[in-house]
Amino acid sequence: MQDFYALRKGVEVAGARVEELRASAGLVKLEEDLKLLEIKASDSAFWDDRAKAQEVLQAMTDIKDKIKLFSELKTQVEDAETIVMLTEEMDSTDTGLLVEAANIIKEITRALDKFELTQLLSGPYDKEGIIITISAGAGGTDAQDWADMLLRMYVRWAEKQRFKTRVVEKSMGEEAGIKSASIEIEGRYAYGYLSGEKGTHRIVRQSPFNSKGLRQTSFAGVEVMPLLPEESLNVEIPEEDLDISFTRAGGKGGQNVNKVETAVRITHIPTGVSVRCSEERSQSANKVKAISRLKAKLLVIAEEQRASEIKNIKGDVVKAEWGQQIRNYVFHPYKLVKDVRTGLETSDVTSVMDGDLDPFIKAYLKHKYSMAQSAAD
């Protein structure tokens, strides 16, 4: 019966959380907002401004998703409450019913946690997809192997979220691992969730590349930028502010990829910010994509620095964009992953490397939110 009482308490807690969330979200106001947006969308001149129309459609989708979520959560709570009531009336405990109710509560808790997490995301690009670039730092072959491990970690996280991933660029290491790699992750709030991963990641372990098995400290840098739609990149960068160079792409490619200089690197001279693109088959296509990524990167930096225009970005600050060390991963002599900024730590290194990043993401977003609140006060 102890399991039953624990379950009943869990149902009560979940029910209270759902009602609190429904009240704070203002369902009546959401439904009114949706009606107003639907009226706008039905206007004959709606598509005259395509960018504005897309914003309205996205706002409609967001509201519909919230209303649907609250409705589903309420139904799930009612289902769990019904099972509890049935169990109380039965002469003997039905284990199957208890398991069903426990699974419902798990689903409700997971959905509530995810929703509360999205409420911490209010940046202009938080709802977008993300491009993550991982570069091996100090540590030789160990660092290159570490960069490859981080690449897998982010891919596994994205898979758990059911997001679409694509490795758009990868430069292999001489012996093992990668020198660098870039991946695109398409999914709602992908940038908001992972924007806090930007910085230096440090690993301490017994080196698998050292015959004596000595302990090795290695580093890898993680860079992030939002995956922005082309129509939102209404930024003009003077041609004289760009340093454009071309190289061979390297790696596996088609007939021309490794024979001509198709890879493009563009550096924004005033700030030193640079991007590289090599996944397309032609130099011109890589140049277009590289400029788009550079614009996205500069827009984010301008937002971080509260600069009204890209030309107002402080270049000396940007050049330190690798950032400070944000997280330590210790595999030996003990197991520990610790975030330097939030103090959150866990000894379950295996789960973290398998993409279980949500506790660190949530802790960072709460930390970021509290810092913003303190600055506002």
Side-chain angles (χ1 to χ4, degrees):
M1 289 301 290
Q2 186 177 359
D3 289 342
F4 170 73
Y5 290 124
L7 177 63
R8 185 169 65 180
K9 182 64 177 175
V11 172
E12 291 173 358
V13 171
R17 282 185 71 188
V18 170
E19 286 307 312
E20 184 182 345
L21 213 56
R22 284 167 62 91
S24 64
L27 276 179
V28 175
K29 179 70 165 57
L30 285 175
E31 289 166 352
E32 290 174 354
D33 290 346
L34 181 59
K35 286 179 182 177
L36 290 174
L37 290 171
E38 287 173 340
I39 291 171
K40 282 186 179 180
S42 63
D43 191 291
S44 58
F46 179 67
W47 286 104
D48 290 352
D49 186 337
R50 192 170 185 83
K52 191 69 177 176
Q54 291 289 358
E55 287 180 15
V56 171
L57 292 177
Q58 190 58 67
M60 286 172 61
T61 299
D62 289 344
I63 293 176
K64 286 178 180 178
D65 287 346
K66 282 184 181 180
I67 293 173
K68 181 183 177 184
L69 173 65
F70 295 143
S71 176
E72 289 175 347
L73 288 173
K74 186 173 177 62
T75 300
Q76 287 178 314
V77 168
E78 290 171 349
D79 289 344
E81 288 173 343
T82 300
I83 291 174
V84 169
M85 289 171 59
L86 286 172
T87 304
E88 286 179 325
E89 294 171 0
M90 294 170 66
D91 295 330
S92 58
T93 303
D94 187 325
T95 306
L97 281 177
L98 293 183
V99 170
E100 183 182 347
N103 288 335
I104 291 173
I105 296 304
K106 282 181 183 177
E107 286 299 316
I108 292 172
T109 302
R110 189 178 295 116
L112 288 170
D113 288 345
K114 188 171 183 178
F115 180 79
E116 289 174 351
L117 198 60
T118 61
Q119 297 306 100
L120 296 171
L121 300 172
S122 57
Y125 313 115
D126 284 348
K127 293 179 181 179
E128 307 295 345
I130 189 172
I131 302 174
I132 302 177
T133 299
I134 304 164
S135 305
T141 302
D142 277 278
Q144 293 174 5
D145 186 53
W146 173 226
D148 201 19
M149 291 166 68
L150 287 175
L151 174 63
R152 179 187 178 277
M153 181 181 77
Y154 291 123
V155 170
R156 291 291 293 121
W157 176 86
E159 289 171 348
K160 290 174 187 289
Q161 311 302 314
R162 297 179 182 175
F163 288 167
K164 181 180 176 183
T165 64
R166 184 168 75 100
V167 178
V168 295
E169 189 174 9
K170 184 187 282 190
S171 175
M172 304 304 296
E174 286 86 358
E175 294 181 46
I178 56 173
K179 294 179 181 177
S180 65
S182 294
I183 56 171
E184 289 182 357
I185 300 177
E186 294 181 32
R188 199 79 172 134
Y189 291 106
Y191 178 74
Y193 291 144
L194 294 179
S195 58
E197 294 299 301
K198 173 184 174 181
T200 303
H201 296 243
R202 171 178 173 262
I203 184 175
V204 179
R205 63 170 178 170
Q206 283 182 301
S207 172
F209 306 101
N210 186 300
S211 58
K212 296 180 180 178
L214 299 176
R215 190 169 67 172
Q216 173 82 26
T217 299
S218 307
F219 300 85
V222 174
E223 211 179 307
V224 299
M225 72 180 87
L227 192 56
L228 298 177
E230 190 64 37
E231 58 268 20
S232 68
L233 297 169
N234 55 343
V235 177
E236 292 298 325
I237 304 177
E239 191 73 26
E240 59 268 23
D241 284 352
L242 300 178
D243 179 19
I244 304 174
S245 58
F246 305 97
T247 59
R248 293 186 182 182
K252 294 181 180 179
Q255 187 174 346
N256 295 319
V257 170
N258 298 317
K259 295 180 181 178
V260 296
E261 295 184 333
T262 56
V264 179
R265 177 178 291 278
I266 302 180
T267 300
H268 184 242
I269 298 170
T271 61
V273 172
S274 66
V275 295
R276 184 178 185 274
C277 184
S278 65
E279 67 261 28
E280 301 298 332
R281 296 175 63 84
S282 71
Q283 189 182 94
S284 58
N286 278 323
K287 181 180 177 182
V288 169
K289 186 160 280 190
I291 288 176
S292 292
R293 289 179 182 171
L294 179 64
K295 287 179 179 179
K297 201 169 181 180
L298 292 173
L299 282 170
V300 171
I301 294 169
E303 175 68 23
E304 290 174 349
Q305 296 187 5
R306 298 183 180 180
S308 58
E309 297 180 41
I310 283 178
K311 65 182 180 182
N312 295 330
I313 293 174
K314 297 176 183 176
D316 56 338
V317 177
V318 174
K319 289 177 182 177
E321 68 179 343
W322 247 46
Q324 61 181 9
Q325 186 173 304
I326 65 163
R327 196 174 299 144
N328 294 314
Y329 306 71
V330 181
F331 286 62
H332 181 80
Y334 52 87
K335 295 187 182 298
L336 181 72
V337 179
K338 182 172 182 177
D339 195 287
V340 176
R341 302 158 301 181
T342 65
L344 182 69
E345 60 183 54
T346 177
S347 59
D348 192 357
V349 177
T350 302
S351 292
V352 173
M353 298 313 301
D354 201 34
D356 187 11
L357 295 175
D358 285 354
F360 289 97
I361 291 171
K362 189 170 186 177
Y364 173 73
L365 290 176
K366 285 185 173 180
H367 168 73
K368 181 181 175 183
Y369 179 79
S370 63
M371 293 289 284
Q373 290 296 104
S374 299
D377 294 340

